[in-house]
């Protein structure tokens, strides 16, 4: 019995030692890493290092959290590997650094200046939001912010809680938008994920408070009629709303 306990003790010590060796992490900024495809390329580079473990990416801040085994590699080696790629050269992440970002949000249910003022009043109270520019003629708002203090998701959550339904806005003529009403039971994340899988769809957002659905899609891959037909075919009972007459 003593022999068994000794063996178990040794195994536990080895397991703990291995876990501790894997516990070192390195947080870096990679300015050239802008999307998931970039992240995949960074991952392929670092996977060639047997000492590198799990990787976590934040594309908004363009950061990578790298777990590594200090017995097999070191930060200098990791920096050197990334530097050789040119585009994905890294530097230490500084949480106090300003990381300026800008995003356009299409807000089909932002009908008038009072709607825009309501949204801007709430967003301006967010720490990290720098400037707001509404464009009522195109139903979108351009937002500049510091990604080290506030995130895109934080901003969209504020807009959603006010009862509006934002989705990504682009000035490209290849991009169009859809806006629909949903039954209460389908105004959820499952609906959004199902529609996001359709061809040509770039962004989907469902507002459970307003029971609305907003979509950004590429018109060279699908059309508004085709997309709507596919949504109905999936069993999602979306309805095109009547033209809005703002009474504010």
């Amino acid at each position: 019995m003593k022999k068994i306990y000794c063996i178990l003790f040794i195994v536990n010590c080895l397991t703990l030692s291995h876990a501790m060796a894997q516990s070192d992490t390195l947080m870096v900024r990679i300015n050239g890493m802008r999307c998931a495809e970039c992240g995949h390329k960074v991952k392929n580079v670092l996977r060639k290092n047997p000492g590198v473990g799990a990787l976590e990416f934040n594309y908004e801040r363009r950061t990578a959290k790298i777990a590594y085994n200090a017995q097999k590699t070191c930060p200098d080696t990791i920096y050197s590997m990334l530097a050789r790629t040119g585009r994905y050269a890294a530097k230490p992440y500084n949480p106090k650094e300003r990381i300026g970002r800008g995003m356009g949000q299409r807000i089909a249910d932002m009908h008038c200046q009072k709607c825009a003022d309501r949204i801007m009043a709430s967003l301006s109270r967010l720490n990290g939001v720098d400037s707001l520019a509404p464009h009522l003629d195109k139903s979108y708002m351009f937002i500049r912010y510091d990604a080290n203090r506030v995130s895109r998701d934080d901003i969209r959550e504020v807009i959603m809680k006010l009862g509006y339904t934002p989705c990504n806005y682009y000035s490209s003529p290849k991009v169009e938008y859809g806006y629909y009403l949903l039954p209460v039971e389908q105004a959820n994340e499952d609906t959004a994920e199902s529609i996001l899988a359709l061809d040509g769809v770039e962004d989907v957002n469902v507002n459970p408070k307003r029971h609305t659905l907003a979509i950004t899609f590429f018109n060279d891959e699908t059309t508004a009629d085709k997309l709507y037909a596919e949504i109905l075919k999936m069993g999602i009972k979306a309805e095109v709303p009547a033209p809005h007459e703002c009474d504010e």
Side-chain angles (χ1 to χ4, degrees), residues 91-242:
K91 67 177 184 179
Y93 168 65
N94 180 0
K96 295 182 179 180
E97 177 185 4
R98 184 185 181 280
I99 302 177
R101 291 286 178 266
M103 69 172 182
Q105 291 292 288
R106 163 86 174 188
I107 311 174
D109 34 26
M110 180 180 69
H111 301 113
C112 64
Q113 188 60 51
K114 285 188 177 180
C115 292
D117 290 343
R118 185 179 298 119
I119 295 170
M120 289 192 293
S122 292
L123 290 181
S124 63
R125 290 193 288 269
L126 277 181
N127 182 28
V129 171
D130 298 326
S131 65
L132 301 160
H135 299 262
L136 291 174
D137 57 327
K138 296 181 180 179
S139 299
Y140 90 96
M141 183 174 292
F142 189 77
I143 304 158
R144 292 192 182 278
Y145 64 100
D146 178 356
N148 242 345
R149 292 187 289 161
V150 69
S151 71
R152 169 186 176 275
D153 289 343
D154 294 333
I155 292 169
R156 279 177 59 145
E157 183 179 356
V158 168
I159 298 172
M160 295 270 285
K161 284 183 177 179
L162 291 171
Y164 300 96
T165 318
C167 61
N168 291 341
Y169 174 85
Y170 303 99
S171 58
S172 170
K174 291 184 178 181
V175 177
E176 292 186 30
Y177 310 93
Y179 179 77
Y180 309 95
L181 303 178
L182 292 171
V184 175
E185 65 275 10
Q186 291 186 324
N188 53 50
E189 191 62 31
D190 289 342
T191 294
E193 290 182 2
S194 297
I195 296 173
L196 190 59
L198 295 175
D199 290 341
V201 174
E202 191 276 337
D203 186 35
V204 179
N205 195 15
V206 170
N207 191 326
K209 178 178 179 179
R210 198 180 184 104
H211 314 141
T212 48
L213 164 68
I215 305 173
T216 303
F217 66 92
F218 298 109
N219 57 28
D220 58 349
E221 297 182 38
T222 189
T223 65
D225 290 342
K226 181 181 177 182
L227 181 58
Y228 185 47
E230 289 179 329
I231 291 171
L232 295 178
K233 188 176 180 180
M234 295 167 68
I236 299 171
K237 300 175 182 178
E239 295 182 5
V240 179

